[in-house]
């Protein structure tokens, strides 16, 4: 099934099934075509087109100097991006896998996150760090981490994670255009998810910092993002549950989240990251501070277990699934209504 879309100059075009991976690749391509200061760099992003083929064709179209293969040295890759940004470029860094990014933490925390503040606003670092993250693909340790809590706890960074094809394109374009550094978390198990989409007339999406209600409901609110959105949407089928897709972890959209919880009176936060010290604790605290007198039950969390990522054969037990989400909904003190 295809749908019609209208380009900026008024031409009608067909929206066809496209994957999130294709939308991300098109976002990079369009950003590079429109702005010659946009450069892509990372391990195997050139000739190979990246492990997940997101950058496929960019080196051929724009040359090796703008889509550059780097050594296997994440600290060096991000350090080079810092220098590029200081001299007026807009580097887009690809980290092959979530846990591969850890060697670059010193550059990220000491320089990327702090340079604008350190220089009194005189030197922004418009760097986008693309990080494939999360599980669900049968990957081993160092290939399936959900490390968003580390980035959220680092002032000076924007942290963004799309869950739909439209958002993959729109949020990546906005991230690259931003003068603030953005950690762009890509849920790798959604790379092959599909939706009707037109690269010639991509749909406008809400900006960074804005959450979206993906499904209205009145009984309870499921608050989630990235790879857990499809899980929550499936869990809500047949139930009167509202689903909020955060999209942006920093800045955080308190207004949309609080408005939803005030309507429903109950909330469950769902994410793959471990529960202890994870994003759900911060989100639950923000909800409690803003919605205390509207809550009919404590805010609950459904998260990954507090363990290193398990072997592929066990990850289905580790990742939040529909049953665990509905178990949490069942524990929202419904007996108090009677």
């Amino acid at each position: 099934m295809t749908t019609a879309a209208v380009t900026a100059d008024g031409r009608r075009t067909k929206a066809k099934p496209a994957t999130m991976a294709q939308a991300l690749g098109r976002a990079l391509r369009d950003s590079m075509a429109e702005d010659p200061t946009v450069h892509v760099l990372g391990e195997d992003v050139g000739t190979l087109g990246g492990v997940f083929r997101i950058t496929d064709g960019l080196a051929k179209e724009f040359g090796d100097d703008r889509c550059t293969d780097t050594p296997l040295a994440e600290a060096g890759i991000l350090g080079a991006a810092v220098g590029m940004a200081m001299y007026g470029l807009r580097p887009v860094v690809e980290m092959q896998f979530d846990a591969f990014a850890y060697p670059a933490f010193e550059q990220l925390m000491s320089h990327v996150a702090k340079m604008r503040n350190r220089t009194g606003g005189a030197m922004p670092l418009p760097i986008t760090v693309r990080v494939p993250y999360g599980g669900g693909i049968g990957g081993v340790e160092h290939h399936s981490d959900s490390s968003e809590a580390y980035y959220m706890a680092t002032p000076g960074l924007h942290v963004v994670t799309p869950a739909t094809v439209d958002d993959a394109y729109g949020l990546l374009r906005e991230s690259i255009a931003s003068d603030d550094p953005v950690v762009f978390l890509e849920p790798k198990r959604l790379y092959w998810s599909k939706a009707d989409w037109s690269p010639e007339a991509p749909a406008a999406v809400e900006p960074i910092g804005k959450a979206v209600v993906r499904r209205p409901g009145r009984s309870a609110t499921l608050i989630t993002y990235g790879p857990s959105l499809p899980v929550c949407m499936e869990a809500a089928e047949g139930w009167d549950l509202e689903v909020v897709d955060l999209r942006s972890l920093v800045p955080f959209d308190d207004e949309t989240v609080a408005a939803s919880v005030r309507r429903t009176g109950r909330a469950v936060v769902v994410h793959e990251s471990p529960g202890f010290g994870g994003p759900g604790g911060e989100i639950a605290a923000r909800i409690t501070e803003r919605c205390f007198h509207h809550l009919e039950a404590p805010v609950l969390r459904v998260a990954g277990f507090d363990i290193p990522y398990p072997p592929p054969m066990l990850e289905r037990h580790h990742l939040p699934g529909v049953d665990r989400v509905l178990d949490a909904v069942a524990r929202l003190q419904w007996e108090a209504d009677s």
Side-chain angles (χ1 to χ4, degrees):
M1 179 179 179
T2 60
T3 58
V6 180
T7 63
D9 58 4
R11 292 181 293 108
R12 293 182 65 82
T13 182
K14 288 184 177 180
K16 299 179 180 180
T19 65
M20 178 180 285
Q22 289 172 324
L24 290 167
R26 183 60 183 247
L28 291 169
R29 186 257 174 204
D30 289 351
S31 294
M32 296 176 76
E34 292 179 12
D35 184 351
T37 67
V38 176
H39 287 239
V40 172
L41 66 158
E43 299 163 4
D44 296 322
V45 298
T47 302
L48 183 65
V51 170
F52 297 100
R53 305 299 186 266
I54 306 298
T55 59
D56 191 32
L58 295 182
K60 182 177 181 180
E61 182 171 356
F62 298 100
D64 294 340
D65 59 331
R66 290 191 62 198
C67 183
T68 306
D69 284 330
T70 66
L72 307 183
E74 285 77 12
I77 296 169
L78 193 52
V82 170
M84 294 167 68
M86 291 175 71
Y87 280 88
L89 299 179
R90 290 185 176 272
V92 181
V93 172
E94 178 179 301
M95 298 293 173
Q96 278 196 342
F97 288 92
D98 28 60
F100 288 14
Y102 299 155
F105 257 61
E106 196 280 329
Q107 295 284 357
L108 191 72
M109 294 186 178
S110 296
H111 303 297
V112 176
K114 293 181 171 64
M115 187 64 71
R116 191 168 196 170
N117 182 73
R118 182 183 298 152
T119 61
M123 185 173 287
L125 292 184
I127 299 172
T128 302
V129 184
R130 294 180 44 244
V131 185
Y133 84 118
I137 64 165
V140 296
E141 185 185 7
H142 290 99
H143 295 75
S144 301
D145 277 7
S146 294
S147 46
E148 56 267 33
Y150 302 138
Y151 304 117
M152 291 173 66
T154 306
L157 300 177
H158 286 181
V159 184
V160 176
T161 177
T164 69
V165 172
D166 286 334
D167 270 354
Y169 179 88
L171 288 175
L172 184 53
R173 290 296 309 272
E174 185 178 354
S175 297
I176 295 170
S178 173
D179 285 336
D180 290 305
V182 179
V183 177
F184 194 88
L185 300 171
E186 300 173 1
K188 64 174 78 75
R189 67 164 152 164
L190 298 187
Y191 273 152
W192 302 279
S193 61
K194 290 185 177 182
D196 283 346
W197 184 72
S198 171
E200 288 77 26
V205 300
E206 294 287 348
I208 291 174
K210 185 68 176 176
V212 171
V213 176
R214 297 292 183 192
R215 184 184 190 278
R218 295 175 296 178
S219 295
T221 300
L222 303 181
I223 301 157
T224 191
Y225 55 86
S228 295
L229 177 64
V231 175
C232 289
M233 294 295 284
E234 183 180 350
E237 289 294 326
W239 301 87
D240 194 13
L241 301 175
E242 185 149 296
V243 179
V244 175
D245 177 6
L246 294 176
R247 306 170 68 252
S248 173
L249 301 177
V250 182
F252 188 86
D253 185 359
D254 287 300
E255 182 179 352
T256 298
V257 172
S260 176
V261 175
R262 287 169 186 154
R263 283 194 298 270
T264 65
R266 293 176 170 86
V268 178
V269 185
V270 184
H271 58 67
E272 291 187 11
S273 180
F276 188 86
E282 172 65 24
I283 296 168
R286 299 178 82 89
I287 292 170
T288 303
E289 290 170 357
R290 290 161 176 80
C291 306
F292 182 79
H293 294 290
H294 297 265
L295 288 172
E296 301 289 343
V299 180
L300 300 183
R301 292 173 289 166
V302 179
F305 298 122
D306 299 328
I307 59 172
Y309 200 85
M313 293 296 290
L314 298 176
E315 70 174 356
R316 69 184 186 279
H317 302 295
H318 175 74
L319 297 174
V322 171
D323 288 344
R324 286 178 61 194
V325 173
L326 292 178
D327 284 346
V329 171
R331 290 188 283 114
L332 288 172
Q333 297 186 359
W334 299 101
E335 66 276 9
D337 290 345
S338 59

